[in-house]
Amino acid sequence: DQQVKQNSPSLSVQEGRISILNCDYTNSMFDYFLWYKKYPAEGPTFLISISSIKDKNEDGRFTVFLNKSAKHLSLHIVPSQPGDSAVYFCAASEVSSGGSNYKLTFGKGTLLTVNP
Amino acid sequence: EPEVTQTPSHQVTQMGQEVILRCVPISNHLYFYWYRQILGQKVEFLVSFYNNEISEKSEIFDDQFSVERPDGSNFTLKIRSTKLEDSAMYFCASKGQGNEKLFFGSGTQLSVL
């Protein structure tokens, strides 16, 4: 039951170029989406999020785009830096489900490698 | 910056033994979670906890699993009789009121031999 899918297990880009990580979801009840970054031996750390009422959210070098009709979101990193090399997880949630029932559903992650 | 802390970072145990994984969530958070990641697979939801009771649990969270908040700061996950397939990285997370972000600890790598 893969409600959140990240179909690319890995991505390699050159420093300074754009990294585009993709995510698809199947549950139409999801209304909030997050990207987490994970380094080895560390827990996932929050990167950026977007509500379903928006189609774009930007924070510095990171931009998340949401296409609700396609149930697709993407994370753009520009310019990419070697320190961005990590596993990136897409996650989705139902804010409308209520406080105590709130949880995140994760994709499998994409390993991004930024080469100097 | 406040953070979620987990101990131990690594736990090796024999099949059939009980293990307790410990977590100290961020102090003013009200919602607590355990997730796990089997090597090469996705981060999976196990259980959520609010107001001293389980809010929701996944199919993975069977009778061998339990959670407890024994005092005002700790949040524990107990596996009563470990199986080989319980080997995974276990992440604790917490969330504040009115916030959709979960904050994760660094994880406990559980190896069942």
Side-chain angles (χ1 to χ4, degrees), chain B residues 43-54:
Chain B
V43 177
E44 300 175 288
F45 168 78
L46 293 179
V47 66
S48 57
F49 191 88
Y50 171 75
N51 199 26
N52 284 319
E53 60 183 24
I54 291 174

Side-chain angles (χ1 to χ4, degrees), chain A residues 44-79:
Chain A
T45 55
F46 172 77
L47 191 57
I48 193 169
S49 61
I50 188 167
S51 164
S52 61
I53 62 173
K54 295 186 175 182
D55 54 19
K56 177 182 174 181
N57 188 27
E58 192 172 351
D59 183 3
R61 296 184 297 113
F62 303 92
T63 303
V64 55
F65 295 91
L66 175 62
N67 183 334
K68 277 184 63 180
S69 61
K71 294 192 177 67
H72 176 83
L73 62 154
S74 60
L75 174 68
H76 292 210
I77 307 173
V78 56

Side-chain angles (χ1 to χ4, degrees), chain A residues 1 32 34 36 38 41-44 46 89 95 99-104 106-108, chain B residues 31 33 35 37 41-43 45 48 50 55-56 91 95 100-106:
Chain A
D1 176 25
Y32 195 77
L34 308 90
Y36 280 79
K38 184 182 179 304
E42 294 184 14
F46 172 77
F89 291 100
V95 175
S100 64
N101 292 323
Y102 182 84
K103 68 178 188 289
L104 298 183
F106 284 86
K108 285 190 174 183
Chain B
Y31 303 90
Y33 303 82
Y35 281 79
Q37 184 182 24
Q41 299 187 23
K42 65 178 182 177
V43 177
F45 168 78
S48 57
Y50 171 75
S55 307
E56 186 175 349
F91 294 107
K95 183 180 88 70
E100 287 75 36
K101 290 190 305 192
L102 268 62
F103 292 81
F104 286 83
S106 294

Side-chain angles (χ1 to χ4, degrees), chain A:
Chain A
D1 176 25
Q2 279 198 73
Q3 296 188 69
V4 178
K5 302 177 189 178
Q6 293 177 257
N7 291 321
S8 297
S10 63
L11 174 68
S12 183
V13 299
Q14 286 298 121
E15 181 178 5
R17 304 295 290 268
I18 186 170
S19 296
I20 300 176
L21 297 107
N22 293 302
C23 177
D24 298 291
Y25 62 97
T26 57
N27 187 343
S28 57
M29 299 299 291
F30 288 145
D31 52 15
Y32 195 77
F33 305 89
L34 308 90
W35 285 94
Y36 280 79
K37 180 168 75 172
K38 184 182 179 304
Y39 294 117
E42 294 184 14
T45 55
F46 172 77
L47 191 57
I48 193 169
S49 61
I50 188 167
S51 164
S52 61
I53 62 173
K54 295 186 175 182
D55 54 19
K56 177 182 174 181
N57 188 27
E58 192 172 351
D59 183 3
R61 296 184 297 113
F62 303 92
T63 303
V64 55
F65 295 91
L66 175 62
N67 183 334
K68 277 184 63 180
S69 61
K71 294 192 177 67
H72 176 83
L73 62 154
S74 60
L75 174 68
H76 292 210
I77 307 173
V78 56
S80 302
Q81 299 172 354
D84 295 330
S85 297
V87 176
Y88 288 78
F89 291 100
C90 173
S93 64
E94 294 178 50
V95 175
S96 53
S97 66
S100 64
N101 292 323
Y102 182 84
K103 68 178 188 289
L104 298 183
T105 301
F106 284 86
K108 285 190 174 183
T110 297
L111 173 62
L112 173 66
T113 303
V114 180
N115 301 302

Side-chain angles (χ1 to χ4, degrees), chain B residues 22-25 32 49 52 68-76:
Chain B
R22 302 181 191 279
C23 171
V24 179
F32 312 112
F49 191 88
N52 284 319
E68 194 176 37
R69 188 154 161 83
D71 51 43
S73 59
N74 290 285
F75 180 52
T76 61

Side-chain angles (χ1 to χ4, degrees), chain B residues 8-105:
Chain B
S9 56
H10 292 85
Q11 175 86 53
V12 181
T13 190
Q14 294 290 326
M15 189 170 57
Q17 295 295 305
E18 174 183 288
V19 294
I20 297 176
L21 309 184
R22 302 181 191 279
C23 171
V24 179
I26 294 172
S27 62
N28 62 346
H29 282 186
L30 301 175
Y31 303 90
F32 312 112
Y33 303 82
W34 284 100
Y35 281 79
R36 79 173 185 189
Q37 184 182 24
I38 294 171
L39 187 64
Q41 299 187 23
K42 65 178 182 177
V43 177
E44 300 175 288
F45 168 78
L46 293 179
V47 66
S48 57
F49 191 88
Y50 171 75
N51 199 26
N52 284 319
E53 60 183 24
I54 291 174
S55 307
E56 186 175 349
K57 56 186 180 180
S58 71
E59 292 176 356
I60 303 167
F61 195 90
D62 61 22
D63 292 344
Q64 294 301 315
F65 290 86
S66 62
V67 289
E68 194 176 37
R69 188 154 161 83
D71 51 43
S73 59
N74 290 285
F75 180 52
T76 61
L77 174 69
K78 182 193 288 186
I79 309 175
R80 261 179 276 278
S81 178
T82 50
K83 303 187 285 286
L84 296 175
E85 54 264 38
D86 293 328
S87 296
M89 179 71 89
Y90 287 80
F91 294 107
C92 173
S94 68
K95 183 180 88 70
Q97 186 77 30
N99 190 332
E100 287 75 36
K101 290 190 305 192
L102 268 62
F103 292 81
F104 286 83

